């Protein structure tokens, strides 16, 4: 979807997180770096640089779901490192900030000037998504931003759009949800 195609009559714009507001790969590569550093320290093997490169190549060639198992196999790791890998994703402190896409920054500015409300509605593990949110450089927009977790609302048998509309005192028709990367 192109930014120019967004309707400018809505009162609330909801954004998914990964690959919509920022490049998810930026988060993953930093987690891979942390994991490789953890392995190097724990096993006292100088493998961090090679492991990060391998994990990145695997991510690009086979996708996120293949990375952990391929890394365990390639570097002959103990299978019980999965918990550490997942913990780093949900709780790890990234060495670098995550940055909003440039066109999202421009859109946020435009929406702010129009008086529209901005919020995030993200699917997936709330702890993991929250960790990503913590590391984004929001450029001050976070002061006016509310975040909602689809999985948490559905777990509580709450329709996300009805709930969010009520929270923002708008009708569901006044909400526009952006789930894919804006170009």
């Amino acid at each position: 979807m192109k930014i120019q195609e967004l309707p400018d009559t809505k009162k609330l714009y909801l954004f998914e997180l990964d690959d919509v507001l920022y490049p998810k790969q930026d988060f993953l590569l930093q987690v891979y770096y942390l994991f490789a550093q953890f392995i190097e320290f724990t096993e006292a093997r100088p493998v961090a640089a090679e492991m990060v490169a391998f994990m990145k190549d695997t991510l690009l060639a086979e996708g996120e779901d293949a990375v952990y198992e391929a890394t365990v196999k390639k570097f002959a790791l103990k299978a019980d490192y999965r918990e550490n890998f997942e913990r780093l994703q949900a709780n790890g402190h990234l060495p670098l900030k995550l940055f909003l896409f440039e066109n999202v920054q421009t859109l946020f500015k435009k929406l702010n000037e129009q008086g529209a409300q901005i919020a995030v509605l993200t699917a997936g593990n709330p702890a993991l998504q929250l960790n990503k949110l913590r590391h984004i450089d929001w450029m001050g927009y976070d002061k006016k931003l509310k975040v909602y977790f689809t999985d948490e609302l559905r777990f509580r048998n709450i329709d996300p759009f009805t709930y969010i509309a009520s929270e923002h005192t708008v009708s569901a028709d006044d909400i526009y949800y952006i789930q894919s990367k804006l170009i």
Side-chain angles (χ1 to χ4, degrees):
M1 166 177 281
K2 295 182 181 182
I3 288 180
Q4 302 88 318
E5 296 172 357
L6 290 177
D8 59 1
T9 57
K10 300 297 181 177
K11 294 180 181 173
L12 173 63
Y13 293 82
L14 282 176
F15 293 85
E16 179 54 78
L17 181 61
D18 297 325
D19 291 327
V20 176
L21 294 180
Y22 83 101
K24 184 179 181 184
Q25 178 177 306
D26 291 358
F27 172 79
L28 293 173
L29 292 176
Q30 291 190 64
V31 169
Y32 299 163
Y33 169 80
L34 293 173
F35 182 70
Q37 292 295 317
F38 168 77
I39 295 298
E40 186 169 286
F41 178 78
T42 303
E43 295 197 354
R45 294 193 285 160
V47 295
E50 181 186 355
M51 185 177 289
V52 170
F54 175 80
M55 294 174 92
K56 178 182 179 182
D57 291 345
T58 305
L59 172 67
L60 297 175
E62 301 175 40
E64 179 182 352
D65 293 337
V67 172
Y68 178 78
E69 291 301 326
T71 304
V72 167
K73 184 176 178 181
K74 165 91 172 145
F75 293 91
L77 300 177
K78 299 176 204 168
D80 59 353
Y81 283 132
R82 179 176 289 283
E83 183 179 332
N84 299 94
F85 182 70
E86 291 173 357
R87 190 176 296 132
L88 282 171
Q89 290 185 61
N91 301 319
H93 184 74
L94 301 183
L96 302 171
K97 284 279 193 195
L98 301 171
F99 294 100
L100 297 169
F101 285 117
E102 208 170 296
N103 57 349
V104 169
Q105 294 173 30
T106 303
L107 178 59
F108 276 14
K109 182 179 180 189
K110 177 184 170 192
L111 294 173
N112 193 40
E113 289 169 355
Q114 288 175 213
Q117 299 177 68
I118 301 168
V120 172
L121 174 63
T122 186
N125 176 337
L128 173 60
Q129 297 303 79
L130 184 59
N131 194 37
K132 295 171 188 175
L133 289 160
R134 280 189 200 117
H135 289 94
I136 292 176
D137 179 357
W138 289 101
M139 303 174 56
Y141 292 108
D142 55 328
K143 293 177 178 93
K144 301 177 183 179
L145 184 83
K146 285 192 175 185
V147 177
Y148 303 93
F149 300 97
T150 306
D151 294 8
E152 181 183 322
L153 292 170
R154 289 201 175 125
F155 177 77
R156 295 176 10 198
N157 293 318
I158 297 172
D159 174 65
F161 293 96
T162 304
Y163 178 78
I164 293 168
S166 172
E167 282 269 304
H168 290 268
T169 61
V170 300
S171 73
D173 292 337
D174 288 327
I175 297 176
Y176 194 79
Y177 186 36
I178 299 135
Q179 303 177 73
S180 60
K181 185 176 179 178
L182 297 167
I183 51 173

